[in-house]
Amino acid sequence: EVQVVESGGGLVKPGGSLRLSCAASGFTFSSYSMDWVRQAPGKGLEWVSSISSGSRYMYYADSVKGRFTISRDNAKNSLYLQMNSLRAEDTAVYYCAREVRVKGTRSDAFDIWGQGTMVTVSS
Amino acid sequence: QSVLTQPPSASGTPGQRVTISCSGSSSNIGSNTVNWYQQLPGTAPKLLIYVNNQRPSGVPDRFSGSKSGTSASLAISGLQSEDEADYYCAAWDDSLNGWVFGGGTKMTVL
C-alpha cells in the first residue's frame, strides 16, 4: 500500500525546536518530490516546504523561512522537517504529502497525504 | 489572507449542481495549472482534481474542474450528502516560488 506516516509532533514552548519525520512506503521514495503542508486548528491548508527528489531544490513559505529546514534520506525512505524558533502561530497539524509530476506536463499535484501530526507551541 | 480567493461557504440540496470559484493572479493560476483537494471532516486532504480538469482514479465524474485566465472553478453535479466537506484550490506561484492554497470552501448539503 502506498502511504506516508508522520511522527514527531507534540507540545513545545515558544522558542523551542521540534523535528518531524515522515516514513514512506509502497513506492519508490527517491523518485518523488515531497512536501509539508500544515493546518492550524479550524483554519485552512498552508504549504510549508518542498524538497526535490535528490534534495537539490528546497523551497519554503515566507512564514517559516530561516526557521524551518526540510531534508530527506532516500536510503531510509524518510522526509524530515526541523523546526526551530517555534512560535504560537506554528501550532497546526503538519501533513506530509507526495508531489507527483503529471505525465506529459510540467504540472505537479499532492496525490498522497499522511494522517498528520499535531504540533502545539505553548508555554 | 490567502493568495487564492474562495468563498468561505457554499450549499445545495441533494441532486443540485453547485460550483466553487477560485480567484488568483497572473503569477499563480494565470501561469500554472490548478488542483483541487477535498477534506472530509476529521480526515486528511485528498486530491480531487489535478491539472485544472483531470480526475484521479476513483473520483466520481460528478466532480469537474475548469480554468479561465486567473480563475478556476470546481463543479459538483448531482450533489450528495457525502460531498459535505471542505474544498481547497491550489496552484504553484512563480513569484513566491511556492504552492499557494485558497482559504477553503465549506460545502453544506441541505
Side-chain angles (χ1 to χ4, degrees):
Chain A
E1 180 190 3
V2 175
Q3 64 176 358
V4 294
V5 179
E6 305 91 339
S7 61
L11 175 63
V12 61
K13 289 182 169 54
S17 299
L18 208 57
R19 188 194 196 206
L20 305 184
S21 298
C22 170
S25 59
F27 64 97
T28 305
F29 181 72
S30 60
S31 296
Y32 293 87
S33 292
M34 296 294 296
D35 293 68
W36 289 99
V37 177
R38 69 184 181 183
Q39 186 170 35
K43 301 296 184 183
L45 300 175
E46 180 190 15
W47 171 79
V48 173
S49 183
S50 175
I51 186 168
S52 60
S53 58
S55 300
R56 182 174 182 182
Y57 302 104
M58 288 167 275
Y59 303 97
Y60 298 92
D62 286 343
S63 58
V64 307
K65 206 170 289 183
R67 300 187 299 121
F68 289 11
T69 302
I70 192 171
S71 62
R72 63 190 296 162
D73 185 336
N74 287 342
K76 294 183 178 179
N77 292 334
S78 293
L79 173 72
Y80 306 101
L81 186 68
Q82 177 65 44
M83 304 185 296
N84 298 331
S85 303
L86 283 162
R87 306 166 180 166
E89 53 265 36
D90 296 318
T91 295
V93 173
Y94 284 73
Y95 294 104
C96 165
R98 187 177 81 169
E99 186 173 333
V100 64
R101 172 59 53 94
V102 179
K103 285 182 182 177
T105 76
R106 290 173 57 241
S107 299
D108 297 330
F110 303 142
D111 68 333
I112 303 294
W113 296 68
Q115 84 291 346
T117 187
M118 183 70 203
V119 172
T120 302
V121 184
S122 174
S123 54
Chain B
Q1 195 80 350
S2 302
V3 174
L4 304 182
T5 301
Q6 296 179 235
S9 63
S11 63
T13 55
Q16 200 173 12
R17 182 178 188 271
V18 295
T19 61
I20 298 171
S21 62
C22 175
S23 177
S25 67
S26 58
S27 63
N28 42 66
I29 295 178
S31 48
N32 296 295
T33 57
V34 177
N35 304 320
W36 290 88
Y37 300 91
Q38 178 193 55
Q39 187 175 32
L40 296 170
T43 70
K46 166 192 163 186
L47 180 62
L48 190 67
I49 296 287
Y50 64 97
V51 188
N52 304 328
N53 55 20
Q54 303 299 303
R55 285 185 307 277
S57 171
V59 172
D61 59 7
R62 303 185 292 103
F63 294 93
S64 62
S66 64
K67 176 188 137 173
S68 177
T70 59
S71 294
S73 290
L74 172 72
I76 309 174
S77 57
L79 191 65
Q80 299 182 5
S81 58
E82 55 260 41
D83 298 334
E84 278 210 339
D86 293 322
Y87 294 87
Y88 296 90
C89 57
W92 179 263
D93 192 297
D94 292 335
S95 295
L96 296 174
N97 247 352
W99 289 94
V100 290
F101 283 91
T105 298
K106 183 176 184 63
M107 175 64 67
T108 301
V109 181
L110 302 170

